[in-house]
Amino acid sequence: MFLLNLKIGFFLALRQIRRANVWTTGLIVFVMVLTFLNLVVVSGILVGLIEGSIAAYHAQYTGDVIISNLNNKKYIEGSPNIITILKNMDDVKSFTPRFSTGVIAEANYQTKKDTDKANTASAQLIGINPLAEDEVTGLSNHMLEGSYLTPNDYDKILIGYFLLKQYVTIDSPDFSALEHVYVGSKIRLTINGVTREVTVKGILKSKVDTIRRGLFMVDSEARELMGRQDNNVSEIAINLKDGVDPITFKQKLLLAGVDKSAKVQTYADAQPQFLKDIVNTFATLGNFLSSIGLVVSSITIFIVIFINALTRRKFIGILKGIGINGKAIEISYIFQSIFYAFLGSAIGLVLVYLVLVPLFRAHPIDFPFSDGILVAPLAGTLVRMWLLIVSTIIAGYIPSRMIVRKNTLDSILGRN
Amino acid sequence: MIQVKNLVKSFKDGQTETKVLKGIDFQAQQGEFIAIMGRSGAGKSTFLYQMSLLDFPTSGEIIIDGEHSHNMTSEQKTNFRLTKCGYVFQDYALLPELTTIENVVLPLLMQNINKKDAYQKAKEALVRIKLGHRLKNLPSQLSGGEQQRVSIARAIANHPKILFADEPTANLDNESSQAVMDFFLQLHKEGQTIIMVTHEEQYAKLAQKIVKIDDGKIISQIQN
Ligand SMILES: Nc1ncnc2c1ncn2[C@@H]1O[C@H](COP(=O)(O)OP(=O)(O)OP(=O)(O)O)[C@@H](O)[C@H]1O
Ligand SMILES: [Mg+2]
């Protein structure tokens, strides 16, 4: 019986759709497309902003796994041991040890008058092996001006563009930047009372804070500046070979006892807290906006089907009058709803994957801490499509049922 | 075939209650051709709706093909109309988005007759009523007389036990009316039970029996 109703419902739906007004159908499908885009794109962009940031942080700073000093220590004690362990692990593709310390950078000290305030900025000085660092994070790809460090550079630094007045428009009391500093300019670094004059070799641009606010120097000289005799480093960023799971690798390091003298984190663990918080907030926000879209489209479909069924009430009565099962008539409206939802979703899918995703990839949204892309994993999109179809079915079923259940004869004669 | 006992139908509209059928006793035998006549507003259509189970009476009994109507659920009534009744509505009642043949085939498909046979039967009915050349037209592309014939073809395509027709000739010219009546007579000869409402004496005379209704009661039953 159900199958028969399904067959008759389909028979009726097909002919109603085929002979429906093109503009009405077009309008309904258009609403469905917009709803679909609302479901997928709004949250996809919100998530994409964060994903872009996470990806940048992963690629440009932490690598797949990062080992850093314990919270109560200045350095990773026994660093050479850990480096030896890493060298002997098959999973490791490349790694880069870093020394890091806070410095005060000062510019324009030569032209400064006694009454002038010193032009200083506090920053993090990071000592790197330029080759290893470039292999892990591709730091040399982020040169805005000037050139990258070579291992033999002495008294040369790379400076993040957020430390330079000409690149930052922010002017707030607690934010200081260096003025008139270009490639070739000299600046003074002060660490623990020791001052050193260095030359700017290049300017770095990135959306990752540690890079755009950092000062990079060859590691041997940085150690000397810091007055360090030991070989202990501040952090080691590690890239793994393709297919190696960072979590599994982290477990191996823990088994090797690395966690006794250092903190071991995967790139996901090491995300800045604000990103972790924002991911959840944005996901909630995205779902909230999507839900509103879903409700709006459900109501739209409800009204469309209701009006459609109401204006066709006489014919629904005739159908029942000649013996067509009410269920079959309801099913015909469900089929129509499915048709709208499917067509809308299909057009939406094409738009998302063939137009919007490539478009956002080519032209990411310039967000202060990331290049926002559109993240729309197929599985998630299909779930949303399914949601849309289910809500449409319900929205189409209820009004058709309301009309179909009315008294047959009253419907035929147009009585109330 | 049909037995109606003390049938009463009244409509309530707030305080006022209008009695339309005021106690009707009636029966029709298998194969009978009955014409129902009466003034406009006498209750003829209302009577037909009760017998075809499109409506339910206020009181009284309808026994049709051995079944008491008040024992049936609305789904059973729908199924009864599908399998045992043919109904020709006063205003054709065709479905506008279905072609001629689709209008006729739909109730056949609903009876789970396979597609090929159903279309064959629908086509036969339409050819019989001289609409074989209009199978693919939509109702809006047909004349009133043609639409009425589609409506008749739909009603008789599966050889129902009873054919109800509510003024099947009301909107037709003489020639078309005559054609419809000829067709009814032919069906009657084949044994079809027909209950037809009509205004026109000349067509009523073609039936075996004329039942006159006035003010909700049967005032005469004349065997022709
Ligand atoms: N739902 C209703 N509520 C109130 N009165 C109704 C209702 N339906 C029908 N009537 C009344 O019942 C009476 C009989 O109506 P019916 O349609 O059966 O007449 P009829 O004999 O078929 O007339 P006609 O020849 O004009 O078709 C009419 O007076 C009509 O006003
Ligand atoms: Mg009438």
Side-chain angles (χ1 to χ4, degrees):
Chain A
M1 195 62 213
F2 176 71
L3 241 118
L4 183 61
N5 286 336
L6 213 62
K7 230 164 74 183
I8 300 295
F10 186 74
F11 179 95
L12 291 171
L14 194 67
R15 280 149 186 89
Q16 266 198 59
I17 291 167
R18 206 190 287 153
R19 284 162 196 147
N21 184 307
V22 184
W23 292 104
T24 319
T25 311
L27 199 66
I28 299 168
V29 171
F30 184 60
V31 170
M32 299 311 295
V33 172
L34 290 184
T35 311
F36 182 85
L37 292 182
N38 185 12
L39 279 175
V40 173
V41 175
V42 171
S43 57
I45 287 178
L46 288 177
V47 172
L49 291 175
I50 306 306
E51 290 277 315
S53 177
I54 289 173
Y57 204 71
H58 175 184
Q60 298 175 29
Y61 184 65
T62 62
D64 296 325
V65 172
I66 186 161
I67 302 175
S68 55
N69 55 291
L70 293 170
N71 290 343
N72 58 352
K73 300 282 183 190
K74 278 183 163 171
Y75 308 105
I76 304 171
E77 284 169 6
S79 295
N81 279 340
I82 294 176
I83 289 173
T84 311
I85 291 173
L86 290 177
K87 275 182 180 155
N88 290 325
M89 287 177 91
D90 274 346
D91 294 344
V92 177
K93 187 165 119 196
S94 53
F95 66 90
T96 174
R98 299 174 187 139
F99 297 88
S100 121
T101 185
V103 292
I104 304 287
E106 185 181 358
N108 307 312
Y109 43 87
Q110 284 148 331
T111 55
K112 173 177 154 315
K113 299 191 194 86
D114 282 348
T115 50
D116 291 347
K117 184 170 164 260
N119 179 209
T120 60
S122 53
Q124 203 69 17
L125 175 70
I126 301 162
I128 54 168
N129 172 341
L131 300 180
E133 182 66 34
D134 196 32
E135 208 185 331
V136 175
T137 62
L139 188 61
S140 68
N141 300 327
H142 299 286
M143 302 306 302
L144 179 63
E145 282 176 44
S147 52
Y148 188 62
L149 292 173
T150 60
N152 300 323
D153 278 335
Y154 196 74
D155 282 351
K156 297 270 171 64
I157 58 153
L158 303 179
I159 186 165
Y161 80 128
F162 253 44
L163 291 172
L164 302 179
K165 192 84 184 178
Q166 70 264 36
Y167 294 110
V168 258
T169 45
I170 307 166
D171 190 11
S172 79
D174 60 343
F175 183 82
S176 52
L178 304 177
E179 288 176 50
H180 312 301
V181 172
Y182 309 98
V183 172
S185 299
K186 287 191 171 6
I187 61 172
R188 259 190 336 212
L189 303 182
T190 306
I191 308 166
N192 300 333
V194 182
T195 299
R196 178 77 144 250
E197 186 176 66
V198 293
T199 309
V200 173
K201 188 178 183 192
I203 298 169
L204 292 163
K205 182 175 184 182
S206 163
K207 298 225 163 158
V208 173
D209 238 23
T210 41
I211 297 175
R212 67 183 175 190
R213 289 182 197 281
L215 290 163
F216 290 80
M217 183 181 242
V218 173
D219 50 3
S220 51
E221 192 185 0
R223 278 180 59 224
E224 186 191 318
L225 258 174
M226 292 173 199
R228 300 277 303 281
Q229 308 302 324
D230 56 75
N231 282 310
N232 289 342
V233 300
S234 310
E235 60 194 26
I236 307 170
I238 305 161
N239 261 357
L240 302 174
K241 288 188 177 144
D242 283 349
V244 180
D245 175 30
I247 295 172
T248 323
F249 181 75
K250 176 182 161 183
Q251 295 304 330
K252 284 187 188 166
L253 289 181
L254 297 187
L255 277 177
V258 172
D259 58 324
K260 290 199 184 62
S261 54
K263 195 154 61 177
V264 182
Q265 292 173 301
T266 65
Y267 69 92
D269 301 335
Q271 293 301 321
Q273 187 57 40
F274 86 98
L275 277 187
K276 290 184 188 169
D277 294 344
I278 262 180
V279 167
N280 295 329
T281 314
F282 274 26
T284 313
L285 194 63
N287 287 339
F288 177 69
L289 293 175
S290 299
S291 313
I292 293 179
L294 209 55
V295 170
V296 170
S297 84
S298 298
I299 293 174
T300 310
I301 284 293
F302 182 95
I303 293 173
V304 165
I305 296 286
F306 185 74
I307 290 179
N308 185 318
L310 200 63
T311 54
R312 294 182 33 84
R313 189 179 152 206
K314 178 181 166 74
F315 303 115
I316 291 174
I318 292 168
L319 283 168
K320 290 201 301 170
I322 62 170
I324 306 302
N325 194 304
K327 295 258 171 5
I329 304 169
E330 285 162 16
I331 288 170
S332 81
Y333 283 95
I334 291 177
F335 271 125
Q336 288 181 64
S337 310
I338 293 177
F339 167 79
Y340 295 134
F342 238 96
L343 194 58
S345 306
I347 296 174
L349 275 179
V350 169
L351 278 179
V352 166
Y353 288 105
L354 295 187
V355 179
L356 293 176
V357 169
L359 191 75
F360 278 111
R361 197 171 294 137
H363 308 281
I365 305 169
D366 190 10
F367 205 55
F369 54 87
S370 83
D371 290 321
I373 46 164
L374 174 59
V375 175
L378 192 62
T381 304
L382 291 180
V383 167
R384 280 151 203 273
M385 180 171 166
W386 184 81
L387 261 177
L388 180 67
I389 291 173
V390 169
S391 68
T392 308
I393 290 175
I394 296 169
Y397 173 68
I398 295 171
S400 68
R401 186 174 164 81
M402 282 162 59
I403 308 290
V404 168
R405 293 187 89 188
K406 285 189 187 272
N407 178 289
T408 304
L409 190 62
D410 290 346
S411 295
I412 296 175
L413 300 178
R415 300 192 299 216
N416 289 312
Chain B
M1 181 88 263
I2 298 184
Q3 236 183 322
V4 175
K5 290 180 191 164
N6 196 22
L7 183 72
V8 174
K9 177 71 185 178
S10 52
F11 295 98
K12 249 200 199 121
D13 186 17
Q15 296 298 334
T16 56
E17 189 176 342
T18 331
K19 249 191 182 181
V20 177
L21 301 179
K22 302 174 176 171
I24 288 187
D25 292 294
F26 169 84
Q27 48 187 357
Q29 308 303 328
Q30 171 107 38
E32 241 182 330
F33 183 4
I34 298 174
I36 296 174
M37 296 195 73
R39 290 187 290 117
S40 181
K44 306 182 295 292
S45 295
T46 308
F47 183 39
L48 222 52
Y49 296 145
Q50 312 305 311
M51 284 193 290
S52 61
L53 309 189
L54 276 167
D55 205 356
F56 49 89
T58 309
S59 69
E61 261 186 87
I62 298 167
I63 304 157
I64 186 158
D65 200 28
E67 284 190 75
H68 282 263
S69 69
H70 61 252
N71 291 336
M72 294 169 142
T73 65
S74 93
E75 185 142 341
Q76 282 170 326
K77 285 180 184 170
T78 304
N79 196 48
F80 178 88
R81 287 195 301 272
L82 177 70
T83 53
K84 299 193 177 158
C85 295
Y87 200 106
V88 180
F89 291 89
Q90 206 164 343
D91 63 349
Y92 327 136
L94 299 177
L95 295 155
E97 61 269 327
L98 267 50
T99 61
T100 299
I101 187 144
E102 285 166 351
N103 262 290
V104 178
V105 85
L106 182 60
L108 300 173
L109 292 175
M110 188 77 230
Q111 290 175 68
N112 216 359
I113 296 170
N114 81 57
K115 203 172 157 185
K116 199 167 153 249
D117 293 350
Y119 274 91
Q120 186 58 37
K121 275 190 169 188
K123 195 177 164 188
E124 273 166 23
L126 284 163
V127 167
R128 221 181 139 183
I129 206 159
K130 303 200 174 59
L131 273 177
H133 58 300
R134 285 272 188 272
L135 300 182
K136 293 270 150 63
N137 291 71
L138 292 173
S140 57
Q141 300 161 336
L142 299 177
S143 75
E146 286 171 328
Q147 290 185 53
Q148 184 65 299
R149 271 141 71 197
V150 177
S151 166
I152 293 168
R154 177 175 69 188
I156 55 109
N158 202 35
H159 312 290
K161 285 229 149 118
I162 313 150
L163 176 63
F164 296 100
D166 196 350
E167 309 205 26
T169 59
N171 299 309
L172 307 183
D173 62 19
N174 271 332
E175 204 180 329
S176 304
S177 299
Q178 196 54 57
V180 166
M181 289 318 300
D182 288 346
F183 187 65
F184 275 29
L185 281 174
Q186 206 181 322
L187 288 172
H188 170 55
K189 257 187 219 140
E190 291 163 15
Q192 177 72 55
T193 313
I194 302 173
I195 299 178
M196 174 183 78
V197 171
T198 182
H199 266 119
E200 286 152 286
E201 200 81 36
Q202 61 177 122
Y203 298 137
K205 279 189 179 138
L206 299 173
Q208 287 171 295
K209 188 159 90 179
I210 299 176
V211 176
K212 285 208 167 144
I213 295 186
D214 197 28
D215 195 24
K217 281 183 218 146
I218 293 182
I219 52 169
S220 73
Q221 298 204 37
I222 302 158
Q223 209 77 27
N224 274 340

